[in-house]
C-alpha cells in the first residue's frame, strides 16, 4: 500500500479528478494549501493569473492506493496537470503501513477502496 501526495495547480483539479476517475481512482482527499518550489514563489503568470508573493496557492491531493494502482495514479495526475511550465507540481509516494475502514473494521488492502 502507498500513500500518494500530489501538489498541483488549482486550475487542474477538475482535470485531475477526471483522469483519476478514468483509472478507477475515486477516493481522494483534497486540501487547499500554500507552497513554493525551486523558484521560491517568485511572481509567475499561470493561465492568465499573475501570482505574486513567496507562497502560492496550490491544491494537495492525498490518495491511498494498493500497489498495482501506483503507476496509473501517477500517470493520471501527470497527464491532467503537465503544462511543461514551472510550478506544474510534484508527486510524492509514501509507504503506507496500514489502512482501516472504521465502519466495518476491515484492515489492510481491502480497506483501501
Ligand atoms: N521538496 C518539496 N517538498 C515539499 N513540497 C514541495 C517540494 N517541492 C515542491 N513542493 C510543493 O509543490 C509545489 C509545486 O512545486 P513546483 O512544481 O514548483 O516544483 P519545482 O521543484 O519548483 O519544479 P519546477 O521547476 O517545475 O517549478 C510547491 O509550491 C510546493 O508546495
Ligand atoms: Mg517551481
Amino acid at each position: 500500500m502507498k500513500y500518494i501526495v500530489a501538489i498541483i495547480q488549482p486550475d487542474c483539479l477538475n482535470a485531475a479528478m477526471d483522469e483519476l476517475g478514468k483509472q478507477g481512482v475515486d477516493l481522494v482527499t483534497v486540501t487547499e494549501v500554500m507552497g513554493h518550489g525551486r523558484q521560491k514563489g517568485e511572481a509567475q503568470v499561470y493561465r492568465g493569473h499573475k501570482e505574486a508573493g513567496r507562497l502560492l496557492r496550490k491544491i494537495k491531493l492525498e490518495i491511498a492506493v494498493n500497489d498495482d494502482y501506483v503507476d496509473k495514479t501517477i500517470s493520471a495526475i501527470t497527464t491532467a496537470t503537465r503544462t511543461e511550465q514551472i510550478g506544474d507540481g510534484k508527486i510524492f509516494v509514501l509507504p503506507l503501513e496500514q489502512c482501516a475502514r472504521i465502519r466495518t473494521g476491515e484492515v489492510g488492502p481491502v480497506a483501501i477502496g
Side-chain angles (χ1 to χ4, degrees):
M1 297 183 290
K2 301 291 184 193
Y3 199 71
I4 298 176
V5 178
I7 311 295
I8 65 171
Q9 293 282 8
D11 288 357
C12 295
L13 175 58
N14 288 338
M17 296 301 296
D18 289 347
E19 283 298 321
L20 288 164
K22 286 184 205 168
Q23 298 301 323
V25 179
D26 297 303
L27 289 73
V28 60
T29 299
V30 180
T31 313
E32 292 186 286
V33 297
M34 307 280 282
H36 65 63
R38 290 192 299 185
Q39 292 77 21
K40 298 184 180 169
E42 69 193 34
Q44 295 175 13
V45 177
Y46 178 74
R47 293 189 178 172
H49 305 288
K50 178 140 188 176
E51 300 271 3
R54 294 186 64 79
L55 292 170
L56 304 177
R57 291 180 306 111
K58 304 285 177 178
I59 290 288
K60 178 169 72 171
L61 305 178
E62 294 172 85
I63 308 169
V65 296
N66 285 305
D67 291 347
D68 53 343
Y69 275 79
V70 172
D71 290 347
K72 50 185 134 179
T73 299
I74 292 171
S75 67
I77 294 169
T78 302
T79 297
T81 61
R82 176 183 285 157
T83 68
E84 301 185 358
Q85 304 298 308
I86 58 169
D88 270 355
K90 211 167 269 185
I91 302 170
F92 306 98
V93 180
L94 293 68
L96 180 58
E97 294 285 334
Q98 188 56 290
C99 173
R101 178 175 283 114
I102 294 172
R103 178 177 60 85
T104 60
E106 295 165 290
V107 295
V110 71
I112 288 224

